[in-house]
Amino acid sequence: MNEVLLRSLTPSVLGILVRRGADFAAAEDAVQDALVEAVRVWPADPPRDPTGWLVTVAWRRFLDATRADAARRRREDLVDEEPAPGPTPAVDDTLQLYFLCAHPSLTPSSAVALTLRAVGGLTTRQIAQAYLVPEATMAQRISRAKRTVSGVRFDQPGDVATVLRVLYLVFNEGYSGDVDLAAEAIRLTRQLAAAIDHPEVAGLLALMLLHHARRAARTAPDGSLVPLAEQDRGRWDTGAIAEGVGILQAALARDRLGEFQAQAAIAALHADALMAEETDWVQIVEWYDELVRLTDSPVVRLNRAVAVGEADGPRAGLAALAALHDSLPRHTAVAAYLHERDGDLATAARLYAEAARKATDLAERDHLTRRAARLNARRSR
């Protein structure tokens, strides 16, 4: 069963149901039921028209649910509009659905969570990790969001900022997570940039292109992670870098700085260095200072501590790290790296092993375990 195919079809099927009169929450439930049925049926009997199959099954599930709910019996007349068998025209409603999910009746965080789950195809666990909250907490948040928008007319789409946040999180999950969504996030951000003249939309597109340009060099042939400093920069996509830098420069020239532009500026400084040793860490720290001012994010402060360690020495980085709570994801891994740079191999090895035990991503866990083993081997010589 091709999970990526199912995820890619979800927005179109969901959009068709919404256009036919289903409220969003009920449509999302029906589509999820259809996906479960597809996982069960398709391996033995794959349909010729996957989208049409999903639309038919989801629509029937929606009708079954509305008939079972006395308060919604008025929707029974929609049975006459059941899609006829046969190919379903391809319609890309994905970006529109992102805006519809960013509804004014929802808080920004709830709108982002709902969109990631319903349209982005991420699991509740993946969303919870992105928000640094327990999975149960995120499940409750998504359930409340679905109840809030149930029956609401989607004629007041949300704002651009919420949609950008969703696209950013989808890209990050695709860039380093369980499901490849990075290219889809770039495609949608290109659509948004073509439709809206907004410097932060341009900043996000530049950021995605600059990060995606390094993708081929991020893993070794055996699938292991390759740290930025050790990557073969000859494998970076220079065309994507040039496009990203050009988009960023045009956005910065408008003097309306936002967090995505600042992040893109940091990525551009990394891309500008022909060798890791040539990286302008002092300027990167300055951009992180701007990001802290814009977001006051603990994750940004954590990344800033790494940059400070490169610009001013590992002990300065450790001092910056000491101001942050050690429960932050990757805090232990950053501490290990800075102690290694400071020459304290015993502490670094212990912290790398601890960080590996905490890691939720298998590739990251293997990478940290190997670093711990390498340092222990150096110490035993």
Side-chain angles (χ1 to χ4, degrees):
M1 172 53 56
N2 192 327
E3 181 182 357
V4 174
L5 171 63
L6 285 175
R7 290 179 184 275
S8 69
L9 295 176
T10 297
S12 295
V13 177
L14 187 57
I16 290 170
L17 264 65
V18 169
R19 287 201 307 276
R20 290 182 176 275
D23 67 71
F24 187 89
E28 200 269 338
D29 287 342
V31 172
Q32 293 301 321
D33 287 346
L35 294 177
V36 171
E37 184 70 6
V39 170
R40 187 183 69 83
V41 172
W42 286 11
D45 185 22
R48 293 184 179 179
D49 177 21
T51 302
W53 190 97
L54 288 170
V55 169
T56 300
V57 173
W59 186 254
R60 288 171 178 165
R61 293 298 172 92
F62 164 69
L63 291 178
D64 288 343
T66 54
R67 292 191 187 102
D69 186 346
R72 296 178 183 178
R73 291 192 182 279
R74 54 177 167 66
R75 295 185 182 269
E76 289 188 348
D77 58 355
L78 296 178
V79 72
D80 294 333
E81 299 179 23
E82 180 176 341
T88 300
V91 179
D92 188 359
D93 295 304
T94 310
L95 191 57
Q96 180 186 6
L97 287 170
Y98 272 66
F99 273 95
L100 294 179
C101 284
H103 197 271
S105 63
L106 296 174
T107 64
S109 60
S110 293
V112 170
L114 177 62
T115 313
L116 291 172
R117 180 70 186 93
V119 188
L122 274 64
T123 66
T124 303
R125 176 183 60 81
Q126 291 168 321
I127 302 168
Q129 290 173 351
Y131 269 92
L132 310 181
V133 300
E135 183 174 349
T137 300
M138 182 53 65
Q140 292 175 353
R141 184 180 300 177
I142 293 172
S143 294
R144 285 196 300 269
K146 290 170 69 173
R147 287 195 300 269
T148 299
V149 301
S150 180
V152 170
R153 288 184 60 83
F154 285 91
D155 53 3
Q156 292 180 286
D159 64 358
V160 175
T162 301
V163 174
L164 290 179
R165 176 63 50 192
V166 175
L167 289 168
Y168 175 64
L169 291 174
V170 169
F171 176 81
N172 279 344
E173 187 61 40
Y175 190 67
S176 60
D178 301 329
V179 181
D180 185 359
L181 296 169
E184 172 68 359
I186 292 174
R187 182 184 72 85
L188 293 173
T189 306
R190 284 191 187 279
Q191 287 186 9
L192 188 58
I196 300 176
D197 184 18
H198 191 297
E200 272 294 80
V201 175
L204 179 58
L205 179 57
L207 175 63
M208 289 179 175
L209 290 169
L210 289 164
H211 276 305
H212 209 58
R214 303 198 298 260
R215 184 157 192 168
R218 290 184 70 247
T219 55
D222 63 0
S224 60
L225 292 179
V226 180
L228 176 61
E230 301 172 17
Q231 288 177 14
D232 177 1
R233 301 188 175 213
R235 299 183 65 195
W236 289 1
D237 185 342
T238 55
I241 291 173
E243 182 185 6
V245 169
I247 292 171
L248 173 63
Q249 289 174 339
L252 291 175
R254 301 176 65 174
D255 199 23
R256 289 169 54 193
L257 183 65
E259 62 174 298
F260 293 123
Q261 295 170 69
Q263 288 190 59
I266 293 170
L269 286 168
H270 283 298
D272 189 53
L274 297 178
M275 298 184 295
E277 297 76 14
E278 297 177 359
T279 305
D280 189 346
W281 286 106
V282 172
Q283 193 172 352
I284 287 176
V285 171
E286 292 174 354
W287 277 111
Y288 272 120
D289 289 340
E290 289 288 347
L291 264 177
V292 169
R293 180 182 63 81
L294 289 166
T295 68
D296 196 28
S297 163
V299 176
V300 170
R301 292 181 183 274
L302 183 69
N303 291 331
R304 180 185 178 276
V306 177
V308 169
E310 298 290 352
D312 301 327
R315 295 194 179 182
L318 286 167
L321 185 66
L324 302 174
H325 200 281
D326 60 8
S327 64
L328 271 175
R330 295 186 60 251
H331 185 285
T332 306
V334 169
Y337 173 74
L338 291 171
H339 278 291
E340 179 184 1
R341 293 257 291 120
D342 195 38
D344 186 352
L345 302 189
T347 300
R350 175 178 58 80
L351 290 173
Y352 275 131
E354 181 182 341
R357 290 191 295 271
K358 295 178 179 178
T360 57
D361 179 76
L362 181 60
E364 182 181 3
R365 185 184 310 143
D366 290 345
H367 170 70
L368 294 168
T369 301
R370 279 194 296 270
R371 291 190 79 94
R374 178 174 56 81
L375 291 186
N376 284 326
R378 285 176 56 187
R379 291 173 56 226
S380 63
R381 290 173 187 169

